[in-house]
């Protein structure tokens, strides 16, 4: 079975942070990201996690849309967090309360 994506996260007693979630470009928009996130939510919930956090570049509209569709809401901004060749980009901090994700 070839791999099409991954999710990298860390879990502490009742919280988790998604560090990276990616699907290879040729396989995007086929439900793989949703499946990865759903499986992670189930595993996290089974481990007692109540809240999942992450951050995403403010100019990454597809990722922001994806996370909002999966019950993430904005919880803050880190100004100038991402250094780019053409300047800087803010990071949008997001949170998902698992009870809401499963309601």
């Amino acid at each position: 079975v070839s791999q099409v994506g991954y999710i990298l996260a860390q879990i502490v007693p009742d919280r988790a942070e998604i560090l990276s979630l990616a699907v290879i470009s040729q396989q995007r928009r086929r439900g793989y990201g949703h499946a990865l996130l759903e499986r992670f939510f189930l595993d996290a919930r089974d481990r007692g996690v109540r809240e999942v956090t992450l951050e995403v570049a403010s100019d990454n509209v597809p990722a922001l849309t994806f996370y909002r569709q999966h019950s993430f809401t904005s919880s803050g901004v880190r100004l100038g967090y991402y250094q780019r060749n053409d300047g800087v980009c803010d990071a949008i901090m997001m949170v998902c309360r698992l009870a809401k994700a499963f309601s």
Side-chain angles (χ1 to χ4, degrees):
V1 174
S2 63
Q3 294 183 343
V4 297
Y6 69 89
I7 186 167
L8 176 65
Q10 60 184 4
I11 295 176
V12 295
D14 65 345
R15 295 179 151 220
E17 179 182 12
I18 295 175
L19 304 170
S20 182
L21 186 155
V23 173
I24 60 173
S25 59
Q26 303 91 324
Q27 299 296 329
R28 291 185 184 147
R29 306 204 51 84
R30 296 184 182 181
Y32 293 115
H34 171 80
L36 283 167
L37 191 58
E38 185 175 88
R39 180 75 238 162
F40 175 71
F41 278 173
L42 291 170
D43 288 344
R45 186 179 68 174
D46 289 348
R47 293 176 184 214
V49 170
R50 297 174 190 223
E51 188 173 275
V52 178
T53 61
L54 58 82
E55 58 193 38
V56 62
S58 62
D59 62 355
N60 189 343
V61 175
L64 287 165
T65 301
F66 173 80
Y67 291 123
R68 287 182 180 128
Q69 289 172 342
H70 291 86
S71 301
F72 281 86
T73 59
S74 298
S75 62
V77 177
R78 291 186 174 153
L79 298 174
Y81 185 76
Y82 294 103
Q83 302 295 317
R84 306 254 172 94
N85 289 336
D86 59 349
V88 296
C89 180
D90 298 339
I92 305 297
M93 298 166 14
M94 302 186 87
V95 63
C96 175
R97 289 171 179 68
L98 291 186
K100 184 175 181 181
F102 287 98
S103 59

